[in-house]
Amino acid sequence: MVLQRIFRAVIMGPPGSGKGTVSARITKTFGLKHISSGDILRANVNAQTELGLLMKSSIDQGQLVPDDVMSRLILRDLRAMDQSSWLIDGFPRTVFQSEALDDAYRVDTVINLNVPFQTIKQRLTSRWTHLASGRVYNIDFNPPKVSGLDDETGEPLVQRDDDTPETVMRRLKAYQTQTEPVLEYYRSKGILQIFSGTETNKIWPHVEAFLHRKLSPVEQKVA
Ligand code: ATP
Ligand code: MG
C-alpha cells in the first residue's frame, strides 16, 4: 500500500507487550520506517560505544536511561528520516520525552498495546532475541524454525540480560510510575488508540484494520 502523506506514529505498551512484533508487522504491511529505542541502545551496548558502556548498567537493571540522552538519540535518528513516515517503539517513555518529541514533530497516532502484567511476566522469561535485527521469538508461542537460530540470518539468538524475573518486575514498576502518565498525556490530546488482549496474533488484526482506516482516507470515503 502506498502512503499518501507523511504519517507519524508511536507504539506503546508495557515491556514484552508485543511492541517489537506488532511494529515489524506494521512496517511490513504499511511501509513505514521503524525505530526502536531499545534496539538502538542494545546496538550501542553491543558495539561497546561510549554511550553503550555508560548505559549498560541502567538497562541491565531495568531502569530507564536519562531522558536527555534518550531524547537526543531518538531525535537525531528522526532527523535523518524527515521525509518519511515512521513508527517509534519504546519512546517516549516519560512525559519529559513526550514533550521533547512534541516540540519537534506532530504525532498522528499512538497505538497502545494493553496486555495484562501477568501475561507479560510469563512471556518475557521465555523470550529470545536476534540482537542485530531486534527480531523476537518466544519458545512457547512463536518459536524459531531452528531452535536457537534466527529464521532470516541463521545467526544465534540470545536471551536479554534484562529478561530475568527480578529485572522484569523492575521494568514493570518503571512502566507504571514513569510511562503510564504518558498514556494520559496522549489521551488528553485525543490521539491514543488502545488495543487490549493477551495474544499478539489476536491483537494484530485490530491494529491492522485501524491503520488501514487511518492511512487510506480516500478508500474510506468511497466505501
Ligand atoms: P520490550 O522490548 O519487550 O517492549 P522493554 O520495552 O522493556 O521491553 P526496550 O524498549 O527494548 O524494552 O528497552 C530496554 C531498556 O532500554 C529499558 O528497560 C530501558 O533501560 C532502556 N530504554 C529503552 N527506551 C527507553 C526510553 N525511551 N527512555 C529511557 N530508557 C529507555
Ligand atoms: Mg522492544
Side-chain angles (χ1 to χ4, degrees), residues 31-46:
L32 15 90
K33 297 199 168 151
H34 172 224
I35 77 175
S36 153
S37 57
D39 289 353
I40 293 172
L41 290 173
R42 279 185 291 278
N44 274 278
V45 170
N46 236 22

Side-chain angles (χ1 to χ4, degrees), residues 50-69:
E50 194 182 341
L51 183 118
L53 293 171
L54 278 171
M55 298 304 138
K56 182 171 171 27
S57 70
S58 301
I59 297 169
D60 286 351
Q61 290 165 29
Q63 282 158 354
L64 295 188
V65 309
D67 277 335
D68 57 333
V69 173

Side-chain angles (χ1 to χ4, degrees), residues 15-16 19 37-38 42 63 65 90 93 97 127 160 171:
K19 295 187 297 279
S37 57
R42 279 185 291 278
Q63 282 158 354
V65 309
R93 276 271 227 298
Q97 293 177 13
R127 175 166 78 170
R160 276 167 48 173
R171 285 159 62 201

Side-chain angles (χ1 to χ4, degrees), residues 7-212:
F7 181 73
R8 301 190 173 108
V10 166
I11 184 163
M12 296 186 59
S17 55
K19 295 187 297 279
T21 304
V22 172
S23 295
R25 292 184 188 174
I26 292 175
T27 52
K28 192 165 165 226
T29 311
F30 297 98
L32 15 90
K33 297 199 168 151
H34 172 224
I35 77 175
S36 153
S37 57
D39 289 353
I40 293 172
L41 290 173
R42 279 185 291 278
N44 274 278
V45 170
N46 236 22
Q48 306 197 325
T49 66
E50 194 182 341
L51 183 118
L53 293 171
L54 278 171
M55 298 304 138
K56 182 171 171 27
S57 70
S58 301
I59 297 169
D60 286 351
Q61 290 165 29
Q63 282 158 354
L64 295 188
V65 309
D67 277 335
D68 57 333
V69 173
M70 197 70 240
S71 302
R72 255 183 284 132
L73 266 181
I74 297 285
L75 290 172
R76 188 186 62 192
D77 282 15
L78 290 180
R79 269 196 294 278
M81 42 198 207
D82 242 2
Q83 296 312 311
S84 310
S85 293
W86 46 245
L87 172 71
I88 321 177
D89 154 4
F91 181 94
R93 276 271 227 298
T94 64
V95 171
F96 178 99
Q97 293 177 13
S98 39
E99 288 169 350
L101 181 61
D102 245 12
D103 287 344
Y105 298 97
R106 187 180 56 79
V107 173
D108 294 291
T109 290
V110 176
I111 292 167
N112 180 41
L113 305 183
N114 181 30
V115 177
F117 278 16
Q118 192 48 45
T119 309
I120 280 164
K121 279 183 238 158
Q122 289 162 358
R123 254 187 211 179
L124 286 179
T125 39
S126 59
R127 175 166 78 170
W128 291 79
T129 307
H130 177 239
L131 270 182
S133 67
R135 269 187 291 282
V136 287
Y137 300 87
N138 189 294
I139 47 177
D140 298 328
F141 65 92
N142 173 33
K145 290 185 190 123
V146 180
S147 166
L149 300 180
D150 177 48
D151 287 353
E152 311 237 329
T153 64
E155 289 166 355
L157 301 175
V158 298
Q159 191 151 36
R160 276 167 48 173
D161 289 339
D162 59 349
D163 280 349
T164 63
E166 314 81 76
T167 312
V168 164
M169 281 312 293
R170 217 171 296 133
R171 285 159 62 201
L172 289 173
K173 264 261 143 9
Y175 177 81
Q176 276 179 318
T177 57
Q178 292 167 278
T179 308
E180 278 182 353
V182 177
L183 294 178
E184 205 36 59
Y185 177 89
Y186 286 129
R187 190 200 311 277
S188 72
K189 288 182 175 290
I191 55 173
L192 181 68
Q193 193 69 28
I194 299 172
F195 299 89
S196 301
T198 56
E199 288 171 52
T200 304
N201 285 338
K202 291 195 179 153
I203 292 179
W204 164 244
H206 298 280
V207 175
E208 187 182 24
F210 167 74
L211 287 176
H212 268 298

